[in-house]
Amino acid sequence: LFVGQSSSSQPTTGIPNNVPRHEITDFVGRDVELRYLHEQLMQPNHVSAIALYGIGGVGKTKLATQYAVTYLEEYSGGICWLSSRDIDVIAQIINFARFFLGIEIPKEDIKNQLNFCWSHWREGKVLIVFDDVTDFYRIQQYLPPAQPRFHVLITTRLQFGLSGIKFLEIKIFSEVIALELLRSNLKEGDSRIEEEIDQAKELCRWLDYLPLGLELISRHLARKEDLSLSTMLQRLYNEKLGQEAINESNGERGINTVFELSWQELSEDAKMLSYFLSLFALAPIPWWLVEQLQFEQKPDNIENLRDDSLLKFSLLQRHERGFYQFHHLIREFIQDKLNNLDDAASLKKSFCHEMANLTN
């Protein structure tokens, strides 16, 4: 969604930042969100904290990166980018203050060092980016002081967290934008999209308009200039998430890897509920039906697993009141997990048995 610039380093403007510029590629389809994000962060007289949330692969980090690069000059106090998954956040803040701001930090306990960094931070508006947050209460202790010059941008799969943070959902693309992204890596004069427009639209539908999937397919087509869209589509039909085109490529995370990060956060009970839900057709699932099936859990337990795990980590989406649905690729991912279980046949048989009893 962004064309590659190289490393994260001090820009020619002299504004200190460590924005991961390898994330920058051709920006497609997020202009409205980009403007809205800036309007919200720039609102006067209050501390700004916004969380971009959505399913894995929807482009939250890409949007945050593009925002940081586009509006870099607005943040004369610097942009500090923090990787929040399983990495020492305080150490990252202290290292940024030391190497990008030139702050000489006294040898005290870590908490006092952090406070010293905030109190001696360079003048001007500051943007602190917490990328890939999996626990809001963990980062709460690392937030900058409640001063209007400090702004916070978070990317996460979590749909709720601390009070005082505004949440902005990043959604999948429309067909028009999806086709634009599919074209984005092809050479000038490459007319495969136009020549096989029906297959191109079907590719977008199969990927359920997920930006990461579209970008990976676009890069794959760019490398394989003689590969027709109909052949690409057939390979996806046959191999599904095992197809090389949507797995790791040139350092880019593949779809399986991205979904696995959310899957690892689930309890065994939540995973079991996911297996059963993946056996429903790819359509909105009426929750009353799930409660009737029970799956050896009380209705309120199932509801908690849904809300505190599957919805929380953006694996399941609320379609409308009382109806929930998996993204097509997430359903494929979970069904692959199910099929690799030793008792997969038993679980499927149990599901069919419960459905049959319910309809009799």
Side-chain angles (χ1 to χ4, degrees), residues 2-205:
F2 302 90
V3 173
Q5 295 179 19
S6 55
S7 61
S8 53
S9 58
Q10 196 88 348
T12 54
T13 59
I15 295 175
N17 79 88
N18 62 338
V19 179
R21 290 165 183 263
H22 63 273
E23 288 282 357
I24 303 173
T25 57
D26 207 17
F27 192 60
V28 174
R30 297 294 190 200
D31 297 294
V32 172
E33 292 92 335
L34 195 64
R35 289 194 296 272
Y36 176 80
L37 181 56
H38 191 56
E39 289 170 4
Q40 293 299 308
L41 284 171
M42 288 294 106
Q43 285 186 19
N45 303 322
H46 77 284
V47 178
S48 300
I50 295 183
L52 308 178
Y53 79 93
I55 66 173
V58 82
K60 305 177 291 294
T61 297
K62 300 279 188 182
L63 178 58
T65 307
Q66 183 66 22
Y67 175 78
V69 171
T70 301
Y71 294 103
L72 177 64
E73 294 190 14
E74 299 273 0
Y75 294 98
S76 58
I79 298 180
C80 177
W81 188 285
L82 305 168
S83 298
S84 303
R85 178 182 286 273
D86 302 324
I87 298 177
D88 189 335
V89 175
I90 288 185
Q92 291 179 73
I93 296 171
I94 291 172
N95 286 336
F96 183 91
R98 179 179 288 120
F99 295 112
F100 286 85
L101 303 178
I103 298 175
E104 293 187 13
I105 301 168
K107 293 182 178 180
E108 300 181 21
D109 65 79
I110 198 77
K111 184 66 176 178
N112 285 333
Q113 285 187 331
L114 180 61
N115 291 334
F116 187 89
C117 290
W118 295 134
S119 63
H120 290 77
W121 205 275
R122 174 172 165 156
E123 291 298 317
K125 288 186 184 295
V126 178
L127 180 65
I128 308 296
V129 182
F130 293 89
D131 185 40
D132 200 8
V133 169
T134 58
D135 184 345
F136 277 104
Y137 295 97
R138 176 173 170 260
I139 71 162
Q140 185 176 25
Q141 60 187 313
Y142 310 138
L143 293 174
Q147 298 173 11
R149 76 189 192 97
F150 285 104
H151 302 261
V152 175
L153 178 59
I154 295 165
T155 72
T156 183
R157 297 167 200 211
L158 306 177
Q159 296 194 24
F160 42 84
L162 301 174
S163 61
I165 296 177
K166 185 179 183 66
F167 278 71
L168 173 63
E169 183 178 9
I170 307 304
K171 299 181 180 180
I172 59 175
F173 282 148
S174 66
E175 182 179 89
V176 172
I177 300 301
L179 287 170
E180 184 180 348
L181 180 52
L182 204 56
R183 293 186 185 96
S184 64
N185 287 288
L186 303 185
K187 291 181 180 178
E188 186 176 349
D190 189 331
S191 58
R192 279 177 289 177
I193 305 297
E194 287 66 36
E195 290 172 359
E196 298 184 83
I197 189 62
D198 290 340
Q199 287 79 8
K201 290 179 179 179
E202 181 58 28
L203 262 177
C204 295
R205 282 193 292 272

Side-chain angles (χ1 to χ4, degrees), residues 202 205-208 210 235-243 246 255-256 259-260 263 274-275 277-282 315 325-340 348:
E202 181 58 28
R205 282 193 292 272
W206 193 91
L207 294 164
D208 215 353
L210 186 70
R235 290 177 181 176
L236 288 171
Y237 286 153
N238 293 339
E239 302 173 51
K240 299 185 179 178
L241 294 188
Q243 222 298 309
I246 52 177
I255 286 176
N256 276 307
F259 291 164
E260 185 68 32
W263 184 256
S274 298
Y275 296 142
L277 293 178
S278 74
L279 294 173
F280 283 93
L282 187 63
L315 287 167
Q325 184 172 5
F326 281 126
H327 185 282
H328 163 56
L329 296 182
I330 290 177
R331 180 171 175 265
E332 291 281 354
F333 172 82
I334 294 171
Q335 286 189 334
D336 280 349
K337 292 284 188 183
L338 171 58
N339 291 333
N340 287 325
K348 292 177 183 179

Side-chain angles (χ1 to χ4, degrees), residues 196-231:
E196 298 184 83
I197 189 62
D198 290 340
Q199 287 79 8
K201 290 179 179 179
E202 181 58 28
L203 262 177
C204 295
R205 282 193 292 272
W206 193 91
L207 294 164
D208 215 353
Y209 310 101
L210 186 70
L212 175 59
L214 293 161
E215 187 167 4
L216 289 170
I217 290 292
S218 177
R219 292 180 183 182
H220 190 74
L221 291 171
R223 293 196 304 272
K224 297 181 178 289
E225 297 182 54
D226 293 327
L227 178 63
S228 69
L229 270 62
S230 57
T231 299

